[in-house]
Amino acid sequence: MIVPLLLLAASLTGLVAALSQPGLTDVALLAIPCALASLILLLRAWPERARGPARRPSRGRPIILDGSNIMYWRGGDPELAAVREAVDALRARGFTPGVVFDANVGYKLVGRYQNNAELGRLLGLPRDRVTVVSKGIPADQVILKAARGRGARIITNDRYRDWAEAHPEIAREGHLVRGGYRAGKLWLELDDGA
């Protein structure tokens, strides 16, 4: 926002100088388009400022949750509450969770398709941290790529044996974090004392 203001001030100064001094008419030819361009930049920047300060990206340690695996941790029917509890527990421990689901997650939970935004709202996460993979794409592949790209561990009870050759990092101790419920309480095998 400061740059457009400075450009506008400089352009207006040049325009005033050109209008007040008869020999500087050429400066006016340059100052008028510059003033208009800086005004446009200023107006385009204004709505961003009106929305308030930008959210700072979370600085927690990234971690990827296999949502379609975790939703079965309580046994029986799939439920999003188990995923939400895992997300909340990880946030409390300083992690920045991202969740990946199979394409059919909405049908399993509520009998209809649910997208990233809907599931994100239910999990208390921004939609850019929730992924519902497209039909026909294996969620495992997306989970492993996301974890590799972010240097993150994965919360799951899946061992990803079919992907071991392409993703040798899954054999590294602590990369795949197991979890579940004991006596109704969530547990996670995090090796960092958390």
Side-chain angles (χ1 to χ4, degrees), residues 122-134:
L122 294 171
L123 293 171
L125 290 173
R127 71 177 177 192
D128 64 343
R129 293 217 325 256
V130 176
T131 300
V132 177
V133 299
S134 298

Side-chain angles (χ1 to χ4, degrees), residues 76-120:
D77 294 330
E79 56 181 72
L80 202 58
V83 182
R84 175 67 189 245
E85 190 171 349
V87 165
D88 293 344
L90 290 162
R91 278 181 168 159
R93 294 174 178 178
F95 288 95
T96 300
V99 185
V100 179
F101 290 101
D102 291 313
N104 64 353
V105 64
Y107 293 100
K108 289 186 174 190
L109 292 170
V110 295
R112 66 171 182 81
Y113 177 78
Q114 288 187 298
N115 62 27
N116 303 355
E118 291 173 296
L119 289 167

Side-chain angles (χ1 to χ4, degrees), residues 37-74:
S38 59
L39 186 59
I40 290 169
L41 288 174
L42 183 62
L43 291 174
R44 289 184 73 188
W46 193 266
E48 292 173 18
R49 296 289 289 193
R51 282 183 245 143
R55 281 191 330 186
R56 293 183 183 197
S58 179
R59 298 183 190 269
R61 299 168 287 175
I63 197 157
I64 305 298
L65 285 77
D66 182 345
S68 294
N69 181 271
I70 296 169
M71 67 185 195
Y72 286 98
W73 280 6
R74 290 188 193 206

